[in-house]
Amino acid sequence: MPNKVDILGVNVDSLTMQEAVEQVEKFIEAGTPVLIATANAEMLMRATYDEELKEILNGAAMVTPDGAGTVWAAHHLGFAMPERVAGYDLAQNLMAEASQRGQKVFFFGSAPGVAEKAKAKAEQLYPGIEICGVRNGYFKEADEPAIIEEIKAAKPDILLAALGVPKQEKWLWKYKDELGVPVSIGVGGTLDVMAGVMKRAPRWMQKAKLEWLFRGMLQPKRAGRLMALPKFVLKVHASKR
Ligand code: UDP
């Protein structure tokens, strides 16, 4: 595995998108269930007060630098971090691989109807891909055994879970061994974006490292979450000294 970089107590992988994809393919071949998380500034901030999340992230097989904030933090702390490996982009690259390699993917999460739309989109983008099951992310604890059975029966190689942070990480961590899926990844709003329910920032904003600003503007009721970024910057800076 490439280097791990400690950002506010969470070990984040310093790797390129290509290395991340290659590593995931190795996990699929090995077959032992692993969790992959994609850490943006908000997730890393949360891990500073959510001990359970922090332990899960440090137990994950891979934590990719999702977001300009995470890459900045690594650099500010004096570590190498080649590029951003966003959850959405990682999921797209893995689906492209899956369509070539005959691997099966399960979509779990988002509002009713969204995963179905995302599946149609995936089939259009990656001809031949097998999305072996979909299930929305709104459920009660009593529904969990049925959801677990559904996922197990579908036998995916990759489980993409879009339940939001930290629900997706906690759920996957709790059930990954029971599910027996080689690779589970928390992918946040990925299914929403694929289904066209939510927009991703335009390329120029992504390049200008402003995707976080776009998100805040698009979801004004979430504007408070924007504060996570300046708080993160201050905390990382303080941790350096
Ligand atoms: N979501 C879900 N179940 C829940 C809460 C959220 O399936 O109980 C879905 C939501 O519909 C969205 C995704 O999780 O598709 C990401 O949600 P959010 O934007 O809150 O997450 P974050 O930005 O923290 O990843």
Side-chain angles (χ1 to χ4, degrees):
M1 265 306 264
N3 292 334
K4 296 258 185 194
V5 163
D6 180 338
I7 303 175
L8 301 181
V10 173
N11 293 317
V12 180
D13 286 282
S14 171
L15 39 54
T16 63
M17 175 62 78
Q18 196 187 331
E19 287 167 336
V21 171
E22 283 166 9
Q23 187 60 50
V24 172
E25 295 305 332
K26 283 185 194 150
F27 290 143
I28 294 175
E29 271 167 41
T32 312
V34 297
L35 170 68
I36 293 173
T38 66
N40 60 15
E42 216 181 321
M43 188 192 274
L44 293 172
M45 268 308 280
R46 193 183 172 96
T48 63
Y49 60 85
D50 183 339
E51 196 60 37
E52 185 191 354
L53 177 64
K54 188 187 199 167
E55 276 173 25
I56 290 172
L57 294 177
N58 285 331
M62 188 194 285
V63 179
T64 73
D66 179 342
T70 307
V71 174
W72 168 83
H75 292 166
H76 189 68
L77 295 170
F79 301 114
M81 183 70 82
E83 62 181 344
R84 178 181 172 200
V85 180
Y88 178 86
D89 299 321
L90 179 63
Q92 303 308 310
N93 283 304
L94 291 175
M95 283 190 272
E97 285 291 326
S99 71
Q100 300 296 313
R101 295 172 183 250
Q103 294 158 346
K104 297 195 279 185
V105 184
F106 194 108
F107 288 170
F108 173 38
S110 60
V114 171
E116 285 84 351
K117 278 193 195 146
K119 176 181 183 208
K121 183 75 180 178
E123 288 165 350
Q124 179 198 329
L125 289 172
Y126 313 108
I129 194 166
E130 193 180 342
I131 306 300
C132 61
V134 295
R135 158 74 219 206
N136 74 66
Y138 292 84
F139 55 86
K140 298 192 190 72
E141 217 179 315
D143 302 325
E144 291 185 352
I147 295 174
I148 291 165
E149 282 317 308
E150 197 180 328
I151 297 172
K152 276 167 78 175
K155 292 195 171 25
D157 297 287
I158 302 173
L159 171 59
L160 298 184
L163 307 172
V165 177
K167 190 173 174 184
Q168 58 200 19
E169 286 74 23
K170 291 182 180 178
W171 200 90
L172 292 173
W173 189 252
K174 185 170 177 191
Y175 294 120
K176 73 177 171 59
D177 295 322
E178 190 176 345
L179 290 166
V181 178
V183 169
S184 295
I185 314 178
V187 291
T190 293
L191 300 181
D192 284 343
V193 174
M194 290 187 74
V197 179
M198 206 175 75
K199 277 214 184 77
R200 205 163 172 217
R203 276 256 173 258
W204 71 265
M205 274 188 105
Q206 288 186 42
K207 285 215 179 98
K209 308 195 189 328
L210 290 174
E211 187 155 26
W212 56 275
L213 179 62
F214 180 83
R215 285 203 186 171
M217 288 178 348
L218 217 63
Q219 298 174 289
K221 56 177 187 222
R222 301 272 181 87
R225 290 167 64 171
L226 282 180
M227 284 310 290
L229 198 62
K231 282 186 193 157
F232 175 75
V233 167
L234 291 175
K235 236 187 158 97
V236 169
H237 189 63
S239 79
K240 192 179 176 180
R241 280 175 291 149

